[in-house]
Amino acid sequence: MGLAFETQDPSTRSEAGLKPSRPSRPNFNKLHAQPLPIKTYPLPPLIPHNPLSLIQIAFNYLSQLVAPPLSHPETFLRGYFSPETRSVHVTDEATARILWEQGFFGKGSLSRSEPAWLEREKIRQGLLVGNTSEELTRKRREERKQFKKERARKEREAIEEKLAEEARNDTLEPVDGNLKEVDGDQGVPPDDKLPPNADEHNAPSASNVPLPSLERPENPFEPSSKVILNQEHLQLTLEEAFFLIYGLGVLEVQDPSTTHSITTSKLFSICRSYSYFPSRSSNDLATNDPFLLSYVVYHHFRSLGWVVRPGIKFAVDYLLYNRGPVFSHAEFAVIIMPSYSHAYWSSTEELRAAVERKEKKTWWWLHCVNRVQAQVRKSLVVVYVEVPPPEDVEKVTTNKSGEMMDVGDFLKRYRVKDLVFKRWTPNRSRG
């Protein structure tokens, strides 16, 4: 179930002369206490001047060694692969809430980020009081938009007043040593000579125009209890779904046609195939598949503790959050660049030409992307993924179906190097 925020009528506070307060926010520290959908049991800290801390560490270590606590859920979180959207859908509301609150995985299919369509619909029909996070964001943006319009209106009025004052000064001309005002309305008949309603005789009266009704018509087929079915599901990208399966081991992806569970090696081949458009067969895959490059970077930053979210909104591949989007804005924007430094990629003229097309980027492209990130106060991180030659990949053991037996042995052949760019502006960087 999503989050709804209780609001206070600002008119009651304005009558008392107080500034309208923002609605109370939920306790995000409690809701998102777990950074991942797994539980960890760290040992207590060692205090050098307290010998009892050693006893506490030994006791916790031995107790966990004798009776290991459960770190994973008792049952797998389930989703199914959708070839039409090239993603994994999670339809269970409890599972979707777990994946969002514990790691910010996926997005609502009918929402911008957090799945909150059901709460928005209940508020719209008057079954729930409050506002969702998306509605609060929309209201803040609308208030900011109105403020900018009001500021522009005042600036425009000041300019018009200045021009009117200059025009009045220009209409004063000297006559016999005195200033005489020139009538700018010469040739225009007075108001009493104009026909009545000369400009408005064809305009309809506002009182005669029927106003549309704002009331929602009642549906006779709608049940009296107004039970609303949740039409939204959580949509995971291929990188997020594979990380939950391979990296954490908490998700189970099913085939929608057979409802059978898809193995990790088979899902790995499916993700690689559907990273192309149109999708390719398993025999036409390469070591520089789009899924391989993106997943290597995704796994790299997730393992470092960052919350990785798609960054298409800012023309990048990923956005890196310190704790999550509900706590703060993203600090870094990531762009993935393939790197072909192995001697194999320059062995023939055809390979050199293909590598040059994929590696070559203009300086203007980098300048434009970096300027966008500077405007939104993010640091641009260019991540170079070293692509191994096909001969190294052929050493990985495969079964009769062509599926890889050891995905980790395949992924460890990739190397990641990151480079941070920061736009330098002289007027802001002066000492």
Side-chain angles (χ1 to χ4, degrees):
M1 185 175 181
L3 303 177
F5 307 90
E6 295 184 357
T7 58
Q8 184 180 4
D9 189 4
S11 60
T12 59
R13 297 183 60 88
S14 60
E15 293 176 358
L18 300 177
K19 183 179 179 181
S21 61
R22 286 190 174 184
S24 59
R25 301 176 61 185
N27 190 354
F28 289 128
N29 292 323
K30 183 178 179 180
L31 289 174
H32 306 281
Q34 292 185 221
L36 292 174
I38 58 175
K39 295 182 180 179
T40 58
Y41 302 90
L43 296 176
L46 174 63
I47 304 177
H49 60 273
N50 187 4
L52 295 178
S53 63
L54 295 174
I55 300 176
Q56 187 179 9
I57 292 175
F59 174 77
N60 286 309
Y61 176 76
L62 293 176
S63 61
Q64 295 180 15
L65 188 63
V66 173
L70 293 177
S71 60
H72 289 65
E74 297 181 358
T75 58
F76 281 105
L77 307 177
R78 287 183 174 83
Y80 68 91
F81 175 73
S82 174
E84 293 80 13
T85 60
R86 300 167 184 264
S87 60
V88 174
H89 295 179
V90 178
T91 56
D92 183 62
E93 296 184 21
T95 302
R97 182 52 50 186
I98 290 174
L99 292 177
W100 174 256
E101 291 182 354
Q102 301 177 12
F104 301 98
F105 291 96
K107 68 172 292 294
S109 59
L110 301 177
S111 304
R112 296 178 61 252
S113 183
E114 178 185 2
W117 176 87
L118 183 60
E119 285 67 36
R120 294 199 309 271
E121 186 66 17
K122 288 181 179 179
I123 294 173
R124 187 182 70 84
Q125 297 189 15
L127 302 179
L128 187 66
V129 179
N131 289 317
T132 60
S133 57
E134 289 191 3
E135 292 177 345
L136 291 177
T137 302
R138 180 182 57 81
K139 288 183 178 180
R140 286 197 298 267
R141 291 178 177 177
E142 187 66 25
E143 291 175 359
R144 193 181 303 118
K145 183 178 179 181
Q146 294 298 331
F147 170 75
K148 292 181 180 180
K149 286 184 177 180
E150 184 67 17
R151 183 178 59 185
R153 185 186 64 82
K154 292 181 178 180
E155 292 177 355
R156 184 171 60 254
E157 290 179 354
I159 294 175
E160 292 176 355
E161 184 178 355
K162 183 67 175 178
L163 294 176
E165 182 180 356
E166 294 178 355
R168 286 194 299 269
N169 296 334
D170 293 339
T171 56
L172 299 178
E173 59 181 12
V175 177
D176 297 335
N178 298 321
L179 293 178
K180 179 182 180 182
E181 183 176 359
V182 179
D183 188 5
D185 295 333
Q186 294 180 358
V188 180
D191 295 338
D192 55 354
K193 298 297 183 64
L194 291 176
N197 299 331
D199 297 331
E200 302 177 346
H201 66 279
N202 292 326
S205 176
S207 61
N208 298 329
V209 178
L211 296 177
S213 177
L214 300 179
E215 296 182 359
R216 184 172 178 264
E218 295 183 1
N219 187 1
F221 301 99
E222 187 176 3
S224 58
S225 59
K226 292 187 177 181
V227 177
I228 304 175
L229 297 179
N230 193 0
Q231 302 180 12
E232 187 177 31
H233 62 266
L234 188 71
Q235 187 172 349
L236 299 172
T237 63
L238 297 178
E239 293 79 11
E240 291 174 331
F242 192 76
F243 178 78
L244 290 170
I245 296 174
Y246 170 74
L248 300 180
V250 297
L251 183 67
E252 181 184 51
V253 177
Q254 298 177 350
D255 190 346
S257 58
T258 61
T259 66
H260 292 165
S261 178
I262 303 176
T263 61
T264 303
S265 57
K266 184 177 180 180
L267 183 65
F268 185 64
S269 301
I270 291 175
C271 293
R272 294 178 62 187
S273 301
Y274 279 90
S275 62
Y276 294 95
F277 187 82
S279 59
R280 296 184 180 182
S281 62
S282 58
N283 298 327
D284 298 333
L285 302 179
T287 56
N288 57 351
D289 297 331
F291 172 76
L292 287 177
L293 301 179
S294 59
Y295 178 75
V296 167
V297 176
Y298 184 90
H299 191 107
H300 170 70
F301 286 111
R302 272 288 185 177
S303 62
L304 294 177
W306 292 96
V307 175
V308 186
R309 300 287 297 168
I312 190 173
K313 180 179 179 180
F314 300 105
V316 293
D317 296 307
Y318 290 127
L319 294 176
L320 301 183
Y321 293 85
N322 186 16
R323 296 183 61 188
V326 301
F327 295 102
S328 62
H329 293 283
E331 299 183 26
F332 298 97
V334 177
I335 285 185
I336 303 173
M337 295 285 293
S339 178
Y340 303 89
S341 59
H342 195 273
Y344 167 81
W345 301 108
S346 59
S347 58
T348 62
E349 187 67 27
E350 183 179 358
L351 286 175
R352 283 197 295 269
V355 166
E356 184 179 0
R357 287 195 302 269
K358 295 180 179 180
E359 285 186 329
K360 187 176 181 181
K361 296 290 184 180
T362 62
W363 171 254
W364 293 109
W365 168 84
L366 179 61
H367 175 71
C368 292
V369 174
N370 198 16
R371 182 182 179 88
V372 171
Q373 309 315 315
Q375 293 296 326
V376 294
R377 297 182 180 181
K378 292 174 176 46
S379 299
L380 179 63
V381 182
V382 179
V383 180
Y384 294 93
V385 180
E386 184 63 34
V387 181
E391 57 187 17
D392 289 353
V393 179
E394 293 175 356
K395 301 177 183 178
V396 181
T397 306
T398 58
N399 56 15
K400 296 180 180 180
S401 302
E403 301 175 1
M404 292 186 180
M405 300 297 294
D406 190 358
V407 179
D409 188 22
F410 180 87
L411 293 176
K412 73 179 183 180
R413 302 175 186 274
Y414 290 81
R415 298 289 183 269
V416 174
K417 296 181 294 184
D418 46 29
L419 184 63
V420 180
F421 283 86
K422 191 172 181 63
R423 184 168 176 260
W424 182 77
T425 53
N427 58 340
R428 295 183 181 179
S429 303
R430 290 178 294 185

